[in-house]
Amino acid sequence: MLSWKAKRRKVGKRIPKSSILNPKSYPVIALFDSGYGGLTVLKSFLKVLPKYDYLYLGDSARVPYGPRSPETIQKFSEEGIQFFIKEKVPLVIVACNTISAVALRYLQKKYSDQIKILGVVRPLAEYAAKNSAKKRIGIAGTRATIASGAYKTEIQKLDPACEVIGQACPLLVPLIEENWHHKPETRMILRKYLRSLKTHNIDTLILGCTHYPMLQKEFQKIMGARVHVPNPGDIVAASFEDYLQRHPEIEKKLTKKGTQKFLTTGDVDRFEEFSTIFLEGTKINVQKIAL
Amino acid sequence: MLSWKAKRRKVGKRIPKSSILNPKSYPVIALFDSGYGGLTVLKSFLKVLPKYDYLYLGDSARVPYGPRSPETIQKFSEEGIQFFIKEKVPLVIVACNTISAVALRYLQKKYSDQIKILGVVRPLAEYAAKNSAKKRIGIAGTRATIASGAYKTEIQKLDPACEVIGQACPLLVPLIEENWHHKPETRMILRKYLRSLKTHNIDTLILGCTHYPMLQKEFQKIMGARVHVPNPGDIVAASFEDYLQRHPEIEKKLTKKGTQKFLTTGDVDRFEEFSTIFLEGTKINVQKIAL
């Protein structure tokens, strides 16, 4: 087998088919997203589990996955998973509700012998089923996530008595990506989206899109103090912390230097710009790759 | 120069997959768009040139093209053009500002011996250069269209004395596609976008995105009576009427039964839903194809 340096010489500046990061193994926590939203999940991981090393891949060239067909979402996310397998990453968290809702089962089934794949829907569903006293739960998400019914299915598997009311909020992603989330127009639009949810007497609202934590305070304010609107990234990170405790054989493998590496399939400058919005000021370095 | 028929024989060899619409020739006016916006252009064509037959293809599976790289926009639109060549359509109007601004020259160069390709930027630039008394012209468009500088280049080719001021309005497409264009939030957002354009003392504003005619009245109201905000579809249709008068050899070939055919690469129901918004109530039949 060629050494990493030899490989680099051979391929020159082009993105090589073999590993671009590490020739033997790369025991970091990988996060995969269709674009930028997963950065809110990473932010929670850095807060809850700061000692580990992270590799974030955003398929920004093909964002948004939300309006695409399930087949296309499966195909695109599969290419992301194959990238991580090639990089010899032991485990990947799909930090995107659309992929988690539409393609996770498919990916887990197909690649279970090669890589551990975790999603965001399951931990959020567990949290909601456990914490909703009234058993009336709202879900806000993209059109694809709401249409998939994934949250409803997962929550009712855990507790069939739970009522789950979904609300698609399709304009929020473009508004947040345009950095308009602090403007009054966004609050007005959000208020209209939540109007019908407010009539359903829910006590827990799950932000089922990784962009929405950027509007968490606004969601909370509109829903009122009687509705709990937790930060979904924090729940996913806490659930993963628990997972690591239950799987010491994985935990002990993971490197612990507190570093982060960012990869994008799209425009590097635009990724850096978004990361400043999503990680609130943190400057990062991004590398471009092809899937 | 090869005759049209001889050319067609030559073409047939290059694109082997058989036609799905017509085995021999299909002499209709084709409109190609990344999705739904081009329907506003078709609407003007049906008003100005109602006797002809139309074939509309929206690549809705891959909409929006706007945020993509020029290479991707070229590749995707090329597949659309190849489809029309296979269908033996004599002529296609690229009813999309992003494709016209970013890929038209490339497509015309590559396929000029197989199909006539017309865009929307040139006729709008001609109109603006001719009609702006103050020679101060505003362009509203997607980020990709404004960044390309295509309108500025075309207008200044025609009249180097013209000042051209661009304004990207990236939230308008999602707002219109969500059918929010009559809501107050959209007017507020539009007012913010146009704030800086209003300080530039322009007398003509070109709506350089096929979605924006849905907001023509709002644009006009905000810009005030001294600024002319024409319907871009009407200008493109009038320019095409003139083109047909100058090219009777093409005009006489075109069938004149007043029919329209709609194709999409995406979801048929969603296309029908959008067509109701864009064609304002007209019910249409849509067929799904793959590119």
Side-chain angles (χ1 to χ4, degrees), chain B residues 12 19 21 31 36 53 60 118 124 138 141 149 165 186 204 213 223-224 237 240 246 251 254 259-260 264 267 274 290:
Chain B
S19 164
L21 295 168
L31 281 92
Y36 318 101
D53 296 300
S60 346
L118 302 169
L124 291 169
I165 302 109
T186 302
T204 307
M223 292 309 294
F240 185 67
R246 285 180 289 114
E251 199 284 332
L254 296 173
T259 67
Q260 299 110 45
T264 176
D267 189 75
F274 274 117

Side-chain angles (χ1 to χ4, degrees), chain A residues 61-64 67-68 143 170-171 174-175 177-178 180 183-186 188-190 192-193 270 273, chain B residues 61-64 67-68 143 170-171 174-175 177-178 180 183-186 188-190 192-193 270 273:
Chain A
R62 304 190 289 196
V63 80
R68 299 185 195 280
R143 200 172 263 128
L171 285 167
L175 284 163
E177 295 208 341
E178 286 302 323
W180 274 63
K183 301 202 181 181
E185 292 81 359
T186 302
M188 288 169 70
I189 291 171
L190 184 59
K192 285 193 180 168
Y193 280 142
R270 203 152 161 74
E273 189 189 310
Chain B
R62 303 191 287 197
V63 79
R68 299 185 194 281
R143 202 172 261 130
L171 286 167
L175 285 163
E177 295 209 341
E178 287 302 324
W180 274 64
K183 300 202 181 180
E185 292 81 358
T186 302
M188 287 169 70
I189 290 172
L190 184 58
K192 284 193 180 167
Y193 279 143
R270 204 153 159 74
E273 188 189 310

Side-chain angles (χ1 to χ4, degrees), chain B residues 52 54 59 84 89 96 102 118 150-151 162 191 206 220 224-225 229 233 249 264:
Chain B
Y52 298 97
Y54 293 92
D59 190 11
F84 287 119
V89 169
C96 166
V102 173
L118 302 169
Y151 275 99
C162 283
R191 208 168 287 131
I206 297 297
Q220 183 67 72
V229 186
E249 78 287 0
T264 176

Side-chain angles (χ1 to χ4, degrees), chain A residues 33-96:
Chain A
D33 184 33
S34 56
Y36 318 102
L39 292 168
T40 64
V41 181
L42 177 67
K43 200 181 163 197
S44 296
F45 272 69
L46 296 178
K47 195 166 62 183
V48 177
L49 300 159
K51 69 177 173 188
Y52 297 97
D53 296 299
Y54 294 92
L55 173 65
Y56 182 98
L57 168 59
D59 189 10
S60 347
R62 304 190 289 196
V63 80
Y65 281 16
R68 299 185 195 280
S69 71
E71 297 73 35
T72 308
I73 295 170
Q74 279 176 6
K75 185 179 166 281
F76 286 0
S77 50
E78 194 165 354
E79 289 167 8
I81 297 302
Q82 286 169 348
F83 171 84
F84 287 120
I85 292 173
K86 213 168 57 195
E87 294 302 324
K88 304 182 187 71
V89 169
L91 157 154
V92 54
I93 293 140
V94 172
C96 166

Side-chain angles (χ1 to χ4, degrees), chain A residues 40-41 96-97 120-121 124-125 127-128 137-142 145-146 151 167 169 172 176 190 194 197 202 204-220 223 227-236:
Chain A
T40 64
V41 181
C96 166
N97 282 271
V120 292
V121 172
L124 291 168
Y127 181 91
I137 299 155
I139 311 289
T142 64
T145 300
I146 299 304
Y151 275 98
Q167 176 63 51
C169 311
L172 298 187
I176 292 166
L190 184 59
L194 299 183
L197 261 192
I202 59 170
T204 307
L205 174 59
I206 296 298
L207 304 183
C209 169
T210 53
H211 282 70
Y212 297 180
M214 304 300 292
L215 283 168
Q216 193 192 355
K217 277 184 200 158
E218 288 78 3
F219 269 100
Q220 183 66 72
M223 292 309 294
V227 179
H228 177 43
V229 186
N231 182 317
D234 290 357
I235 295 170
V236 175

Side-chain angles (χ1 to χ4, degrees), chain B residues 3 9 13 39 42 53 61 67 74 84 129 146 166-167 171 193 212 222 256 263 285:
Chain B
S3 75
R9 277 195 299 274
K13 277 177 203 162
L39 292 168
L42 177 67
D53 296 300
Q74 279 176 6
F84 287 119
I146 299 303
Q167 176 63 50
L171 286 167
Y193 279 143
Y212 297 180
I222 296 169
K256 294 162 192 83
L263 304 173
N285 271 312

